[in-house]
Amino acid sequence: MPVVYKIDILAALKEAGYNTNRLRKEKLLSESTIQKLREGEGVAWDNLDTLCRLLECDISDLLEYQKEE
């Protein structure tokens, strides 16, 4: 996949006070989205918006494009 995460999203969320229990309990992210983040898979735009809001960052802080060779 040419678009990859620049950081460990779940670790960054945990550092910001959002463990996976809290994310599910407060319905911030679904279990399937959390699993996709664990596996480094892509998530929907609305989830990226949520991540940027929770981490107080820009999408370019989360994702980068890598050319496939």
Side-chain angles (χ1 to χ4, degrees):
M1 180 164 86
V3 177
V4 297
Y5 296 106
K6 292 168 80 171
I7 63 170
D8 181 337
I9 303 290
L10 293 177
L13 286 167
K14 188 173 183 178
E15 189 175 309
Y18 296 97
N19 63 26
T20 55
N21 247 0
R22 182 177 177 191
L23 293 170
R24 285 189 299 265
K25 186 177 178 180
E26 295 181 17
K27 298 183 181 182
L28 298 169
L29 296 172
S30 69
E31 179 59 41
S32 62
T33 299
I34 293 169
Q35 189 60 36
K36 285 181 180 183
L37 292 170
R38 279 189 188 113
E39 296 172 0
E41 297 177 6
V43 296
W45 288 111
D46 58 330
N47 291 318
L48 290 172
D49 177 62
T50 299
L51 292 171
C52 288
R53 183 172 38 83
L54 296 175
L55 297 173
E56 297 179 3
C57 67
D58 188 76
I59 196 163
S60 64
D61 297 323
L62 303 178
L63 303 172
E64 73 179 341
Y65 176 76
Q66 291 181 349
K67 288 184 181 180
E68 291 186 45
E69 295 182 26

